[in-house]
Amino acid sequence: MRQLQAIFLMLLLAAGIHADTITLKGIGKSQPIRRLTIDKVDYLSAADLFTAVGARTDWQEGHKELKVVLGNRRLSFEVARPLCKVEDNEYNLVHAPVLRGDELYLPVQQSLFLLSDVLERVLVYDDGEATITAVREGFNVSGVNFLTKVNGDLLEINLTKKLDYEVFVSEGNWVNVTIHGGRVDVLHLTRKNPHEKIINVRAFQFANSAQVSVQLRENVVEFHDNYAPDPHRIQISIENTTFVSQAEDSTTLQRHDEYNPIDVIVIDPGHGGDREGAEGKNGLKEKDVVLDIALRLETILENGKHFTPVLTRREDKNVSLEERAQLANVARGDLFISIHANSSDQKSATGSQTFFLSPAQNDEARITALLENQDFQIDNPDATDRNKKDLDFIIMDVLQTEYLN
């Protein structure tokens, strides 16, 4: 047995994995929780963590999914999928849960932000002291999180409930967030620097508000802020000026007024099920080709580790356009890429076409839009816009006649 343990430890070290335990304090059972560090990201044993907080768990071996009931909330986590479910909403863990042996491990920081929201208690992780501490009840500002994206940085102030706020930048690259009705444990919030790009974190408690101030090492040129639920958090997207300056011609770069770093990319393989799309000469169907492309694109994005890909379907099944849109919104997708394929009798036919969201400017564009949206129109006949031009009605009539016949 000792020889097997030694071999397992050597394998962990070879893979850049460190294993130890940490302690949960101030809530539930004070007991050790197994921890893994993989490529500088800390993970906790889901079984140990949820046992400590008194949750009920159910491991679905076939789907590699852990279902959790904590209080009156239901959660689920899947192996290799960074999106977990809280009731009917999805929450981005950033790093996907991993399976080691028969144990599921969850990324520490994002999981604790999620649990702080569910438990309505602020959970503070101290990797140096190897502890997770639930600070006393009454605080609603739970922590600071910082994520580096491929084209910018994302600063998050985590809350236990939705609160009004204001953001302003002051001299010295200080990003200041005033949270109305905020209650913050100053000592716990400021005891740890969450990222190497941050110089200092300060917190201030006032009579009717709290303020969190974060000093960054890089200049804050432009930023955009918004509130995000499940769990509650204030998100501040900060433009990466280095990324922009590397563009071949920054003077011609089209910019949106509201900057927002790209994180979640929704990949939509068109058609599926009995909606087969175009068909090749030898029976090759569009629905199968685009699904294969989507799965390959997902692998490329996952390997790049810059983005979180989400697929609207992983198998040959019907998914309505409404369902695809709903999934994209739930996942909070920053980009939505729908993949389709044409067919031709000419073997020499080649090339690609790219369409982006914009009102149709000519007849060809309108025809393309109608062809790709016919599933929605047929499923939702009442959605037809009465103000459409005659050409749109004629094409729709042809499409519906073709579909019904």
Side-chain angles (χ1 to χ4, degrees):
M1 178 60 72
R2 290 182 177 178
Q3 183 178 5
L4 290 175
Q5 290 177 339
I7 292 174
F8 179 66
L9 178 60
M10 285 174 25
L11 289 173
L12 290 178
L13 293 174
I17 300 173
H18 174 70
D20 60 6
T21 62
I22 65 174
T23 304
L24 177 66
K25 298 181 178 180
I27 190 172
K29 301 176 182 178
S30 181
Q31 65 180 50
I33 298 174
R34 285 166 290 176
R35 174 175 66 173
L36 288 180
T37 302
I38 306 174
D39 296 331
K40 299 182 180 181
V41 177
D42 290 345
Y43 294 81
L44 294 179
S45 164
D48 294 349
L49 177 62
F50 290 121
T51 297
V53 297
R56 301 197 310 272
T57 60
D58 180 21
W59 173 248
Q60 306 284 321
E61 178 63 31
H63 296 89
K64 300 297 182 185
E65 178 182 8
L66 179 67
K67 294 187 176 182
V68 180
V69 178
L70 181 56
N72 61 353
R73 307 286 287 276
R74 296 180 181 274
L75 303 84
S76 66
F77 304 86
E78 295 181 40
V79 175
R81 187 171 188 264
L83 295 177
C84 71
K85 276 194 174 183
V86 183
E87 299 296 341
D88 294 327
N89 298 317
E90 289 196 318
Y91 168 58
N92 188 359
L93 293 171
V94 181
H95 302 286
V98 298
L99 196 64
R100 287 295 179 268
D102 58 353
E103 288 287 337
L104 183 69
Y105 284 81
L106 306 177
V108 177
Q109 198 62 74
Q110 296 296 331
S111 298
L112 293 186
F113 290 148
L114 175 62
L115 289 180
S116 292
D117 182 55
V118 172
L119 295 168
E120 296 184 352
R121 293 284 302 274
V122 177
L123 300 178
V124 178
Y125 173 57
D126 189 323
D127 57 348
E129 296 293 329
T131 59
I132 296 173
T133 303
V135 301
R136 67 182 186 271
E137 296 182 76
F139 295 111
N140 50 31
V141 181
S142 58
V144 175
N145 190 34
F146 193 87
L147 302 172
T148 298
K149 310 289 184 179
V150 67
N151 58 343
D153 298 319
L154 182 64
L155 173 65
E156 294 185 320
I157 309 298
N158 293 276
L159 312 172
T160 62
K161 64 180 181 179
K162 184 176 181 180
L163 297 169
D164 293 331
Y165 69 93
E166 297 173 9
V167 180
F168 67 95
V169 176
S170 58
E171 185 177 353
N173 299 324
W174 283 96
V175 179
N176 308 281
V177 185
T178 300
I179 305 162
H180 301 289
R183 299 292 298 172
V184 59
D185 187 317
V186 175
L187 177 62
H188 280 92
L189 193 77
T190 59
R191 66 185 302 176
K192 178 188 174 185
N193 189 333
H195 198 276
E196 60 185 8
K197 285 190 174 184
I198 292 178
I199 298 175
N200 202 355
V201 177
R202 293 180 181 174
F204 307 90
Q205 183 63 61
F206 304 108
N208 299 311
S209 66
Q211 179 175 307
V212 177
S213 298
V214 180
Q215 186 180 26
L216 302 178
R217 296 189 184 279
E218 298 178 358
N219 292 332
V220 180
V221 179
E222 292 186 25
F223 71 92
H224 169 67
D225 62 90
N226 66 280
Y227 161 78
D230 296 322
H232 303 289
R233 60 202 186 279
I234 299 165
Q235 295 183 317
I236 303 155
S237 306
I238 302 167
E239 178 177 346
N240 186 334
T241 54
T242 303
F243 177 85
V244 174
S245 66
Q246 288 174 349
E248 292 183 5
D249 184 1
S250 60
T251 60
T252 61
L253 184 64
Q254 296 296 316
R255 300 288 299 282
H256 194 281
D257 292 337
E258 293 185 347
Y259 173 80
N260 186 22
I262 297 170
D263 183 12
V264 178
I265 298 178
V266 180
I267 306 169
D268 175 46
H271 308 285
D274 59 7
R275 290 169 181 168
E276 299 178 343
E279 184 172 339
K281 184 176 180 181
N282 297 319
L284 184 62
K285 296 177 174 58
E286 177 182 359
K287 65 175 183 177
D288 299 322
V289 172
V290 297
L291 179 58
D292 179 65
I293 294 172
L295 292 170
R296 295 188 190 197
L297 176 58
E298 178 189 38
T299 299
I300 293 172
L301 293 176
E302 286 179 338
N303 290 341
K305 298 183 179 179
H306 292 304
F307 307 104
T308 300
V310 177
L311 266 64
T312 58
R313 68 180 179 95
R314 293 179 169 277
E315 55 190 28
D316 183 17
K317 67 176 183 179
N318 282 329
V319 182
S320 71
L321 293 186
E322 285 183 306
E323 291 173 325
R324 296 171 198 252
Q326 183 181 19
L327 186 150
N329 288 325
V330 168
R332 301 186 188 91
D334 300 305
L335 289 180
F336 185 92
I337 303 174
S338 188
I339 304 173
H340 290 261
N342 295 326
S343 65
S344 174
D345 294 331
Q346 304 297 321
K347 291 184 177 181
S348 59
T350 186
S352 63
Q353 294 174 302
T354 302
F355 301 91
F356 60 92
L357 183 61
S358 174
Q361 300 297 317
N362 53 45
D363 293 348
E364 181 181 3
R366 279 193 289 272
I367 292 171
T368 300
L370 284 167
L371 285 170
E372 293 304 332
N373 291 322
Q374 60 177 304
D375 289 347
F376 175 77
Q377 297 288 356
I378 292 168
D379 287 343
N380 304 273
D382 294 335
T384 303
D385 184 354
R386 295 184 178 181
N387 295 321
K388 283 187 177 181
K389 295 183 179 180
D390 291 343
L391 177 62
D392 291 354
F393 283 114
I394 293 170
I395 297 173
M396 180 54 61
D397 180 68
V398 171
L399 288 173
Q400 289 180 333
T401 302
E402 176 185 343
Y403 180 82
L404 294 173
N405 289 341

